[in-house]
Amino acid sequence: MKDFKFLLLGSLFGFILIKGEVISWFRIQEMFRFQSFHMYGVICSAIVIGIISIFIIKKFKLKTFSGEEIKIEPKRFDKGNIIGGLMFGLGWAMTGACPGPLYALIGSGALTVLIVLLSAIFGTYTYGVLHNKLPH
């Protein structure tokens, strides 16, 4: 019952994704074909909100709900980021869905997306097994 707030927030997030047409296969295809600004606007808005949020977290030294300090470690950039980004984008273009909205798609009745979800889980598992052998 203590995690009910997360279920509620996740459901609200899914509702917003559905109403904003962010999970629409047609909107995603428009983005990859450079036919519409809709998805680019959503993504750019998310980036701006993320930048502002990180600034606020650092400036006011905010803590988690459990009182722990939020630490944002610097990230290294290397060729693995490019390879991973290309694989992510290719999967997104092929399936019409990135991992975030998969649950919203399934919840809205697109049950064929279960195949995409299982593939994402398998890919994550495969990465976990092979991550020591991959370029980082």
Side-chain angles (χ1 to χ4, degrees):
M1 196 62 181
K2 67 177 182 154
D3 292 334
F4 181 73
K5 61 186 170 201
F6 299 112
L7 178 64
L8 190 62
L9 283 173
S11 298
L12 177 64
F13 181 64
F15 178 78
I16 291 169
L17 290 177
I18 292 168
K19 289 300 181 184
E21 296 184 4
V22 177
I23 66 167
S24 167
W25 183 86
F26 298 104
R27 287 288 189 185
I28 293 168
Q29 289 304 309
E30 285 176 342
M31 176 186 68
F32 281 111
R33 293 179 180 155
F34 302 104
Q35 295 172 337
S36 174
F37 182 75
H38 181 85
M39 290 297 292
Y40 292 111
V42 170
I43 292 168
C44 289
S45 298
I47 291 169
V48 169
I49 290 170
I51 290 169
I52 293 169
S53 298
I54 297 294
F55 173 78
I56 290 170
I57 288 169
K58 286 182 175 182
K59 175 128 176 103
F60 296 105
K61 298 182 172 127
L62 298 180
K63 299 188 182 308
T64 65
F65 288 123
S66 60
E68 299 171 27
E69 181 183 345
I70 298 173
K71 294 181 184 176
I72 302 169
E73 301 292 331
K75 304 280 191 265
R76 246 184 36 211
F77 184 81
D78 57 30
K79 65 182 177 182
N81 297 104
I82 296 170
I83 295 167
L86 289 171
M87 290 174 62
F88 180 87
L90 182 62
W92 192 9
M94 287 175 23
T95 63
C98 73
L102 289 180
Y103 298 101
L105 281 162
I106 293 166
S108 68
L111 298 181
T112 55
V113 177
L114 282 168
I115 296 168
V116 178
L117 177 63
L118 292 174
S119 299
I121 292 169
F122 178 72
T124 303
Y125 174 77
T126 303
Y127 173 78
V129 171
L130 299 176
H131 78 279
N132 290 332
K133 297 176 176 111
L134 297 173
H136 285 96

